[in-house]
Structure formats: structure tokens, C-alpha cells
């Protein structure tokens, strides 16, 4: 009928990085995709974060022509993790035969590249509201309303911390090194930005909840002094170059990642199912810089299963979606477990625990295979 929209194969709810990447992956496979976006809040400020993305995420985004180039993307050649009593762990890309341990990507640049790629993909239709489709993919982030509407439990452990993000310019060059300090009252990360020779860093500072408002209220100069002190002046004098933003932190996982749509039957016998991806399915502590890497791996796995399905199976095939759920839940636990364990270990008060964790870090730094395994996991290498 003229004027009638063609039926969708997949309706994706949420146009964050995971939703847009999934839309591009599926459209590349000739599926017709609807992408439901929320209008931006009128007062929305630019995202001051930068994401540490691994090699698997980089390859995926490059294949979608959405990888930011130039100074918006800085390779991490080395990583230095310091404990609160002399313990330290060092990773070098060279030691693992890798081009870089990770890439630090400016979030607004990444979002702009993805939005542009979606605009040029005729099989992706931007929508203001959901439309029926054999498969509904929920990519609405941690506070997903659709997930709640479908009655899915989001098993959440809040951390008594908030993450403060900002950008700073430093006196010394960062040298392509990502630096992290574990203190008993917080975890500070300074991620290199602005290219290999840059002096800019993205800050992620996880601090005790009660401590956050005071840090956010400091004058810019006083805030920069506080970061200098917490980082032992490793990069010299600093100046704040952005607004500050903060996030609550939680470890969470949805109990079910797929199921039938409410009122699943459209009268013609076609089954309709939903599936969760990205932060709507799981959130981890940002200390490991893994949340989005895991979300992009969800999108890659779902696209892989849909690509390989028998020709007679619908994109909303329940069996296929259950195998997505099984494989992604299994891939999730090592990272969730490792980051949760680290944050708990460093939150323990008292000298004995301080000795144990710094002794553990020194041992780990010389542990060869274990260190190498963890580095390869975090880099997204098998
Ligand atoms: C401080 C901090 C630092 C981080 N650093 C890293 C890092 O270095 N590396 C890393 O890999 N990860 C990092 N993360 C995690 C990363 O931010 C998330 O994992 C990632 O943003 C998840 O992407 P998403 O698309 O699933 O969800 P989101 O980014 O939350 O996007 C969800 C989208 O859905 C939209 N939406 C919501 N509800 C609806 C609705 N009802 N209808 C339509 N649209 C809707 C929202 O507007 C949004 O656009 C960090 C997180 C924090 C807080």
C-alpha cells in the first residue's frame, strides 16, 4: 500500500553506542532496522568522558566506519597501576605483542561518527516510538524502562562510591601511559588524550559517596590541586579544562536477557521476542574500563548468531536468542568478578589489608602467565 512503512525485522530501543553499533551491524546484513532514539535533553552538556576501548571494539567500530581518527583517539602504550603502599603493576603493549593495550576515545567524537554512519545507512530508520518487529533489542542503558516494563529483575549491588569525570591539561606529557592509583578512599585514573604526544588527560575518580559533593564544589584550581595531590604530581601541575560530571556506581545484571513480548502474538501466529544488550543487561565498575567493551561484544555476538541462522528462522527466533544469552552471560563473569574483587579489596580498612593488597600487587606484577592472561582478557584478545 502506498505510504505504508515497510515492516521491520528488528526494532532497537535506545540509540547509545551499543544501539547504533547494533543497528549498523544488522543493516549491513540486509536486515531492516528501526532505531528508537530519545530526543536529547535541551540542557544536555557535552559528555566529558573518554572510553578505554579494547582491540575487539576498535576492529568492530572500524568495520562500521565509526572509529574516531586523529587526536580523538589515543593509543595506550603502557599502563601503571599503583597501590596505596608501594605496590605497583605495570603493563606494556610491547610485552604482549600488541599495537596498544587500549585506545582512549573521546566520547562525543565516537557518538558523532556513529550518528553519521547511521545517517548514511538506508536500512536504518530513525523512530520516535517503538514499532512491532519479530525482534525487539533493548539497548536503553542501565535505567532501561522497557526492561522494567517486561518485568525483568535487575539484580543491583550499589557501590558506596561515585565516579567523577573531567578533563585536565598537564604540565608534563602523558607519554601514552594510562595511570591508575588505588587508595583506600578512592580510585583515580588519568587516561591519555589528544594523541601520543599530548598533555591532556581524562579523569575518572571513584570516590566515597559522601566525599563527592565537596570535590565537585571546589573551585576549578582547587580541584586540579586535589587531583595533583592524589596522583603524587606524576604529571606535574594541572589545570581543569572541562566541566565536571559524576555518576553513581553499581554492579548489576539482569536475570533474564530474552523473552517473549507481552501480547506476543500478532494474530497471524508470528512470535515476537525481546533481547537485552549493553548496560541494559549488565553494568560493571568503571575502574576496569570494560562496560562498553562488553556491550559492543554483546552486539557483535547477536549479529553473528543472526547472520548464521537457518534461512527459515526469524530474527526473533527464541532458540537463537537463548544461545545469545548463554554465551554472553558466560563471557561476562570474569570481568565483573575481577573488577568487583579489586574494588572490595581496596575498600577494606586497616593496615593488614593494605599490606596484603600491596604485597599481592607486587607478586602479581611478576606473575608472568596470570598477568599476561588478565592483560589479554582486558585487551579483548583470546
Ligand atoms: C565514569 C564512567 C566511565 C566509563 N568508562 C568506560 C571505559 O573507559 N570503557 C568502557 O568500555 N566503558 C566505560 N564506561 C561504561 C560505559 O559508559 C557504558 O558501558 C556504555 O555507555 C553503555 O552503552 P549503552 O549503549 O548500553 O547504554 P547508554 O550509553 O546508557 O545508552 C543508552 C541510550 O538509550 C537511550 N534511552 C534510554 N531509555 C530509552 C527509551 N525508553 N527509549 C529510547 N531510548 C532510550 C538513552 O537516551 C541513551 O542514548 C564508563 C562509565 C562511566 C559511568
Amino acid at each position: 500500500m502506498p505510504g505504508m512503512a515497510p515492516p521491520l525485522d528488528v526494532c532497537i530501543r535506545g540509540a547509545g553506542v551499543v544501539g547504533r553499533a547494533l543497528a549498523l551491524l544488522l543493516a549491513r546484513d540486509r536486515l531492516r532496522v528501526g532505531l528508537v532514539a530519545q530526543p536529547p535533553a535541551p540542557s544536555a552538556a557535552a559528555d566529558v568522558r573518554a572510553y578505554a576501548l579494547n582491540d575487539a571494539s576498535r576492529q568492530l567500530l572500524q568495520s562500521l566506519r565509526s572509529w574516531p581518527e586523529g587526536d580523538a583517539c589515543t593509543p595506550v602504550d603502557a599502563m601503571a597501576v599503583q597501590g596505596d603502599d608501594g605496590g605497583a603493576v605495570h603493563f606494556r603493549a610491547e610485552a604482549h605483542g600488541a599495537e596498544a593495550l587500549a585506545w582512549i576515545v573521546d566520547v562525543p567524537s565516537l557518538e558523532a561518527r556513529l550518528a553519521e554512519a547511521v545517517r548514511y545507512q538506508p536500512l536504518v530508520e530513525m523512530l520516535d516510538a517503538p514499532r512491532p518487529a519479530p525482534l525487539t533489542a533493548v539497548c536503553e542503558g542501565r535505567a532501561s524502562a522497557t526492561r522494567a516494563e517486561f518485568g525483568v529483575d535487575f539484580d543491583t549491588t550499589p557501590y558506596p562510591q561515585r565516579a567523577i569525570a573531567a578533563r585536565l591539561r598537564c604540565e608534563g606529557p602523558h607519554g601514552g601511559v594510562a595511570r591508575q592509583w588505588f587508595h583506600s578512599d578512592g580510585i583515580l585514573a588519568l587516561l591519555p588524550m589528544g594523541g601520543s604526544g599530548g598533555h591532556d588527560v581524562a579523569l575518572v575518580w571513584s570516590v566515597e559517596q559522601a566525599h563527592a559533593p565537596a570535590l565537585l564544589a571546589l573551585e576549578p584550581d582547587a580541584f586540579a590541586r586535589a587531583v595533583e595531590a592524589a596522583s603524587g604530581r606524576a604529571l606535574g601541575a594541572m589545570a581543569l579544562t572541562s566541566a565536571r560530571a559524576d555518576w553513581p556506581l553499581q554492579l548489576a545484571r539482569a536475570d533474564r536477557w530474552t523473552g517473549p513480548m507481552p501480547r506476543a502474538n500478532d494474530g497471524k501466529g508470528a512470535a515476537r521476542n525481546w533481547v537485552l544488550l549493553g548496560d541494559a543487561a549488565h553494568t560493571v565498575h568503571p575502574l576496569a574500563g570494560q562496560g562498553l567493551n562488553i556491550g559492543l561484544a554483546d552486539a557483535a555476538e547477536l549479529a553473528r548468531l543472526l547472520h548464521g541462522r537457518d534461512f527459515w528462522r526469524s530474527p526473533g527466533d527464541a532458540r537463537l536468542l537463548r544461545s545469545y544469552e548463554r554465551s554472553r552471560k558466560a563471557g561476562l563473569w570474569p570481568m565483573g568478578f575481577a573488577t568487583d574483587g579489586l574494588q572490595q579489596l581496596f575498600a577494606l580498612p586497616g593496615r593488614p589489608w593494605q599490606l596484603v593488597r600491596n604485597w599481592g600487587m607486587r607478586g602479581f606484577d611478576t606473575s608472568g602467565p596470570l598477568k599476561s592472561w588478565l592483560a589479554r582478557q582486558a585487551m579483548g584478545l583470546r
Side-chain angles (χ1 to χ4, degrees), residues 13-19 36-38 49-53 104 111 139-146 163-165 191 204 247-249 277-280 282 284 286 288-295:
R13 301 192 189 185
V17 175
V18 174
V36 186
Q38 260 178 346
R49 286 175 300 173
Y51 291 144
L53 296 183
I104 307 301
E111 287 173 347
C139 306
E140 293 176 354
R142 61 158 83 186
S144 169
T146 300
I164 298 177
L191 308 174
V204 185
W247 283 263
L249 297 180
L277 299 96
D279 274 21
H282 45 71
V284 295
Q290 287 298 331
L292 182 58
N293 288 311
I294 301 170

Side-chain angles (χ1 to χ4, degrees), residues 58-79:
R58 180 178 71 129
Q59 286 186 31
L60 179 81
L61 291 164
Q62 275 177 341
S63 80
L64 299 174
R65 298 178 191 285
S66 304
W67 183 247
E69 304 288 344
D71 285 355
C73 160
T74 306
V76 178
D77 301 324
M79 194 171 162

